[in-house]
């Protein structure tokens, strides 16, 4: 009998999360309220950050963080050439211009030297992306920020549980923004979190996430609240609700176990695939990788098929895969709007032709990992040169 299709990712939701949602539904309070506040406090404590502000998505959080840092028309913000489009889109939404810099070929995070080469008098901020759960070279990037008076807004969508030099990602004087999308290390279905140690930045993010209403309008439907409010900034409807926060609280209580399972899965992949010379496995450049993704690279010229044919072969084996990500300058909007073109970011382009994201999620069994590894091995053995 043919084995059922193994999906690329599945969320890890159990009775604790289900019970938390049911309790929230029965409470009569679904809008942003007590569970959001509890989730923010618990997340801030987990990270060790002074502030954590819950939002509807990582994208929303990055948009708010940039605005809170004063980024706007006429400014430039440096982003890596390999990232999800949201990283560049939020810059555009502020009226500023995204500027691409190439990535480090070892781990596909923003190359500090490439970022430095893109600095101009208009540069206002840098957005490093902690790719796949590996931290960027933050010491070098923060040094650039200090030298030039720039804000460093960390795209931490992949980085819940990641550490850098022993410190959790998210403990920052500027801002870091996390994602709780269904595929992430912890999930609320959708949603995100902004963390910062900057009081002023935190206040500005809080104001703008809920239509720009004054702080005293937050609890206007509670017993001690008031129906009157003041708009103090042109804000957005970016506030997380209590249902998502209830799931987040339950996930946060399980976080250590979820992260440990991800590491165990990554170690199992390394043991099963490490002897294939045609494949480069992801490396932990320094301790602290949270293994959000497991991205292998097909060594150039080692196989008689290209990356896209490899993906099709994996699907024929009943295995879901993905690619993280299509370089930004390959997309027609960015090419036409900013003049970005192929050939300008050689490390990103070389990586894109080779990268394959294998399934890695905590509901996978050891047998599932063995099945994926066997499929990879069969394809490699059929097509090695």
């Amino acid at each position: 009998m043919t084995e059922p299709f193994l999906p690329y990712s599945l969320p890890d939701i159990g009775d604790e999360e289900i019970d938390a949602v049911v309790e929230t539904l029965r409470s009569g309070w679904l809008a942003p309220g007590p569970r959001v506040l509890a989730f923010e406090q618990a997340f801030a404590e987990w990270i060790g950050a002074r502030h954590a502000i819950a939002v509807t998505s990582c994208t929303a959080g990055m948009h708010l963080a940039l605005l809170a840092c004063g980024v706007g028309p006429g400014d430039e913000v440096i982003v890596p050439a390999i990232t999800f489009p949201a990283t560049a889109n939020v810059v555009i939404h502020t009226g500023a211009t995204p500027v691409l810099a190439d990535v480090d070929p070892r781990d596909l995070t923003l190359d500090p030297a490439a970022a430095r080469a893109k600095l101009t008098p208009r540069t206002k901020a840098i957005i490093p992306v902690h790719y796949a759960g590996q931290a960027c070279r933050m010491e070098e990037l923060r040094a650039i920020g200090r030298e030039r008076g720039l804000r460093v807004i960390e795209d931490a969508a992949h980085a819940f549980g990641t550490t850098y030099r022993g410190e959790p990602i998210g403990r920052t004087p500027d801002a870091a923004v996390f994602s709780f999308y269904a595929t992430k290390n912890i999930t609320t279905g959708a949603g995100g979190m902004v963390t910062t140690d900057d009081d002023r930045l935190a206040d500005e993010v809080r104001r703008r996430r809920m239509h720009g209403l004054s702080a005293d309008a937050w609890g206007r439907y509670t017993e001690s609240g008031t129906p009157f409010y003041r708009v103090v900034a042109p804000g957005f409807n970016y506030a997380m609700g209590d249902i998502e926060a209830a799931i987040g609280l339950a996930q946060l209580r399980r976080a250590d176990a979820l992260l440990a399972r991800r590491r165990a899965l990554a170690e199992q992949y390394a043991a099963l695939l490490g002897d294939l010379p045609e494949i480069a496995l992801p490396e932990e450049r320094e301790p602290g990788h949270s293994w959000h993704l497991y991205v292998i690279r097909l060594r150039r010229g080692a196989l008689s098929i290209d990356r896209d044919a490899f993906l099709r072969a994996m699907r024929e084996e009943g295995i879901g895969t993905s690619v993280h990500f299509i370089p930004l300058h390959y997309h027609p909007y960015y090419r036409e709007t900013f003049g970005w073109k192929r050939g300008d970011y050689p490390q990103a382009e070389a990586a894109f032709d080779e990268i394959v994201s294998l399934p890695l999620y905590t509901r996978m069994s050891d047998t599932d990992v063995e099945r994926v590894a066997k499929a990879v091995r069969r394809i490699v053995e059929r097509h090695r040169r």
Side-chain angles (χ1 to χ4, degrees), residues 56-64 84 86-87 89-90 93 177-178 238:
T56 51
S57 67
C58 182
T59 306
M62 289 196 295
H63 187 198
L64 293 177
F84 193 63
T87 313
N89 289 346
V90 292
H93 294 326
V177 191
F178 296 86
Y238 283 171

Side-chain angles (χ1 to χ4, degrees), residues 202-232:
D203 288 344
E204 188 66 16
V205 169
R206 288 192 182 99
R207 276 194 293 269
R208 288 182 180 266
R209 73 167 164 178
M210 200 168 187
H211 306 289
L213 305 186
S214 56
D216 56 5
W218 172 263
R220 65 190 189 279
Y221 297 125
T222 64
E223 183 178 357
S224 59
T226 172
F228 301 103
Y229 55 86
R230 295 171 296 121
V231 174
V232 296

Side-chain angles (χ1 to χ4, degrees), residues 239-259:
M240 178 183 284
D242 263 23
I243 292 175
E244 292 87 355
I247 299 171
L249 280 164
Q251 289 267 292
L252 198 57
R253 286 190 286 269
R254 300 172 55 206
D256 289 339
L258 295 173
L259 292 166

Side-chain angles (χ1 to χ4, degrees), residues 44-71:
E45 291 175 356
W46 203 95
I47 295 292
R50 185 175 176 86
H51 301 278
I53 304 108
V55 289
T56 51
S57 67
C58 182
T59 306
M62 289 196 295
H63 187 198
L64 293 177
L66 287 168
L67 291 172
C69 290
V71 174

Side-chain angles (χ1 to χ4, degrees), residues 48 89 133 151 158 169 228 233 235-236 242 247 265 270 296:
N89 289 346
R151 303 306 290 263
H158 294 182
I169 291 297
F228 301 103
F236 305 88
D242 263 23
I247 299 171
L265 293 169
I296 64 172

Side-chain angles (χ1 to χ4, degrees), residues 76-153:
E76 293 178 350
V77 178
I78 295 172
V79 301
I82 286 187
T83 185
F84 193 63
T87 313
N89 289 346
V90 292
V91 177
I92 297 166
H93 294 326
T94 68
T97 300
V99 174
L100 288 195
D102 214 344
V103 296
D104 185 326
R106 295 173 298 174
D107 56 20
L108 307 189
T109 62
L110 180 62
D111 183 343
R116 185 180 288 278
K118 295 290 184 174
L119 296 172
T120 76
R122 294 183 296 279
T123 306
K124 190 69 171 284
I126 302 172
I127 303 181
V129 177
H130 301 300
Y131 180 85
Q134 177 68 68
C136 297
R137 289 152 60 185
M138 292 308 300
E139 186 173 300
E140 296 169 67
L141 292 166
R142 287 173 180 153
I144 295 171
R146 288 191 299 269
E147 291 167 17
R148 300 294 290 263
L150 309 177
R151 303 306 290 263
V152 179
I153 310 299

Side-chain angles (χ1 to χ4, degrees), residues 16-57:
E16 187 173 355
E17 288 84 356
I18 293 169
D19 291 345
V21 170
V22 172
E23 182 182 351
T24 303
L25 293 172
R26 288 176 172 159
S27 75
W29 191 283
L30 307 184
R35 288 165 182 81
V36 170
L37 294 173
F39 185 34
E40 290 175 334
Q41 181 178 359
F43 196 88
E45 291 175 356
W46 203 95
I47 295 292
R50 185 175 176 86
H51 301 278
I53 304 108
V55 289
T56 51
S57 67

